[in-house]
Structures are given as structure tokens and as C-alpha cells.
Amino acid sequence: MNWNKITSDAQLDEIKEESAKQPVLIFKHSTTCSISAMALSRMERNWSDQLGVKPYYLDLLANRPISKQIEQVFGVEHESPQVLLIRNGECVYDASHMAISFTGLQQAV
């Protein structure tokens, strides 16, 4: 799985633009949380590029202010870990903690 790292809030505009061409996944990950590590591992083990979703990864500890921007831009309250599926500039699906699954993402696409 090839993650695209989010390291600046300017990338959120790019993500919105990209999501008009293909769905975009944002995975908000806390590198010190075991639940987050498990959710990330499950997503990576089951990932298929055939889904046609571009995956982005946000390290919450290194980029906490960007998470707040994601909350404001996409209107989804922050949780960790959390996935957001962006299509046409809007969040059309989100899940957090143990509800994060590749199957759930597949159904939302």
C-alpha cells in the first residue's frame, strides 16, 4: 500500500480537487495508540488498489493542527484513529476506532 503523507494544510485543497476525479481516503493515525496501530494494520493487510481510492495518511502526533483543519474543511468531528472517504470535495463516509474496516470502505465507495 502506498500512502501519500499529509504534512501541510495546503494539501487539503489538493485532496478536494483530486476527489473530483477519484475517491480519496484520509487515515488519521496516532503513532502511540495500539487501537490506531491495529486499525492501520487491518487496512493495510486488506487494501486493494483495484478499489480506485487514493490513500492519504496523517500522523496526528507530528501534524495535530492539520487534523483540526480536516475537521473544519470536511465537517467531521475529530477522532483517532479515523478514516474519511472524500468524494467531490465532501466527506461521504467516516469511521473511527474499531469500526474502521476495508469492507466498510468498499461498501462506501
Side-chain angles (χ1 to χ4, degrees):
M1 178 171 194
N2 295 318
W3 289 108
N4 299 280
K5 293 185 179 180
I6 300 174
T7 57
S8 77
D9 56 2
Q11 286 176 276
L12 300 181
D13 289 332
E14 295 170 21
I15 288 170
K16 286 178 83 170
E17 287 179 27
E18 283 180 311
S19 74
K21 296 177 183 132
Q22 76 179 106
V24 174
L25 173 74
I26 297 173
F27 190 105
K28 297 188 333 185
H29 175 59
S30 173
T31 57
T32 60
C33 173
S34 61
I35 293 172
S36 191
M38 184 184 65
L40 178 64
S41 176
R42 284 181 16 201
M43 186 66 71
E44 290 177 336
R45 280 193 322 267
N46 294 294
W47 187 259
S48 171
D49 288 334
Q50 292 179 350
L51 188 59
V53 174
K54 185 171 181 178
Y56 279 86
Y57 170 95
L58 176 67
D59 177 338
L60 289 170
L61 298 181
N63 300 288
R64 189 164 299 278
I66 298 173
S67 181
K68 190 66 172 168
Q69 281 296 112
I70 290 171
E71 183 176 2
Q72 293 173 353
V73 169
F74 297 110
V76 177
E77 187 174 339
H78 167 77
E79 294 193 57
S80 170
Q82 184 176 42
V83 295
L84 292 85
L85 180 65
I86 311 301
R87 187 181 300 125
N88 295 319
E90 296 182 6
C91 181
V92 296
Y93 168 81
D94 69 275
S96 65
H97 297 85
M98 299 306 291
I100 295 172
S101 72
F102 184 73
T103 302
L105 177 64
Q106 281 179 303
Q107 292 170 351
V109 171

